[in-house]
């Protein structure tokens, strides 16, 4: 059952913005400050024995590793992402990688493909719609869209020694 109204701000965001109120907000779960460990992309995108599928699997692993290296350090700094929250960002990287794979397949195969029943819409179009919907929800969850990022305030880097981010 969903709750109506705006999503509550994460605790650290409310503290950074100076809007935290103990009578209205809770600190929530606290996780240990350990950077997320990158998954083994070879397990997630296993390689075929040889040929074009093996090449594509390697390209998927490389793309996922590059995306992880670009996204995770920023999330650790901006949102305090920890190892216990790794599955969400892993799911984001897998989803983005599958979208990349699907777009490449559409470019190679076209929007309409020949089957035994004649010309039909490429199945990747339906798959991509589902992945894009999931991608939008993960992007909002992680604060990676322009609108969701605008709701996250950068940590205050003033000279305050009591600051949470010292």
């Amino acid at each position: 059952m969903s709750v109506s109204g705006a999503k509550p701000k994460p605790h650290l965001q409310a503290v950074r913005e100076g809007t935290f109120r103990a009578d209205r907000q809770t600190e929530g779960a606290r996780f240990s400050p350990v950077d997320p460990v990158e998954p083994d992309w070879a397990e997630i995108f296993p390689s075929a024995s040889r040929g074009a599928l093996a090449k594509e699997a390697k390209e998927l692993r490389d793309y996922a590793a590059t995306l992880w290296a670009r996204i995770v350090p920023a999330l650790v700094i901006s949102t305090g992402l920890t190892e216990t929250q790794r599955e969400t960002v892993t799911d984001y990287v897998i989803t983005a990688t599958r979208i990349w794979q699907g777009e490449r397949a559409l470019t190679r195969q076209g929007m309409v493909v020949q089957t035994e029943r004649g010309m039909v819409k490429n199945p990747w179009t339906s798959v991509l719609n589902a992945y894009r919907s999931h991608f939008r929800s993960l992007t909002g969850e992680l604060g990676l869209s322009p609108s969701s990022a605008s709701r996250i305030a950068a940590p205050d880097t003033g000279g305050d020694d009591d600051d949470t981010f010292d």
Side-chain angles (χ1 to χ4, degrees):
M1 178 184 211
S2 63
V3 178
S4 62
K7 287 184 184 177
K9 291 180 183 178
H11 170 72
L12 290 177
Q13 180 182 351
V15 169
R16 284 192 302 256
E17 293 174 353
T19 59
F20 176 77
R21 290 189 49 180
D23 60 329
R24 292 188 183 174
Q25 298 166 313
T26 63
E27 192 170 320
R30 299 190 81 183
F31 299 106
S32 62
V34 179
D35 289 354
V37 176
E38 184 172 3
D40 180 7
W41 299 116
E43 287 183 15
I44 297 169
F45 303 111
S47 182
S49 58
R50 60 181 114 78
L53 291 177
K55 180 183 176 200
E56 183 175 26
K58 182 185 180 328
E59 290 171 348
L60 291 174
R61 290 191 298 272
D62 292 346
Y63 184 84
T66 301
L67 189 58
W68 179 276
R70 192 176 78 221
I71 298 293
V72 170
L75 288 174
V76 167
I77 293 168
S78 67
T79 65
L81 183 75
T82 66
E83 172 62 24
T84 54
Q85 300 159 329
R86 175 179 91 140
E87 298 310 319
T88 303
V89 74
T90 300
D91 199 21
Y92 172 86
V93 171
I94 291 169
T95 302
T97 303
R98 290 296 185 196
I99 290 171
W100 181 74
Q101 177 187 23
E103 288 297 336
R104 292 178 69 211
L106 278 177
T107 300
R108 287 191 305 267
Q109 299 166 7
M111 296 295 282
V112 180
V113 294
Q114 180 69 41
T115 67
E116 61 276 355
R117 294 185 181 186
M119 299 297 281
V120 297
K121 179 174 77 169
N122 191 323
W124 268 109
T125 58
S126 299
V127 172
L128 283 170
N129 283 337
Y131 272 120
R132 287 188 195 286
S133 176
H134 187 59
F135 183 77
R136 279 190 298 276
S137 69
L138 290 169
T139 300
E141 184 78 22
L142 294 169
L144 294 173
S145 70
S147 62
S148 63
S150 68
R151 293 189 295 266
I152 297 175
D156 181 21
T157 56
D160 186 7
D161 288 338
D162 296 338
D163 193 284
T164 305
F165 297 98
D166 281 345

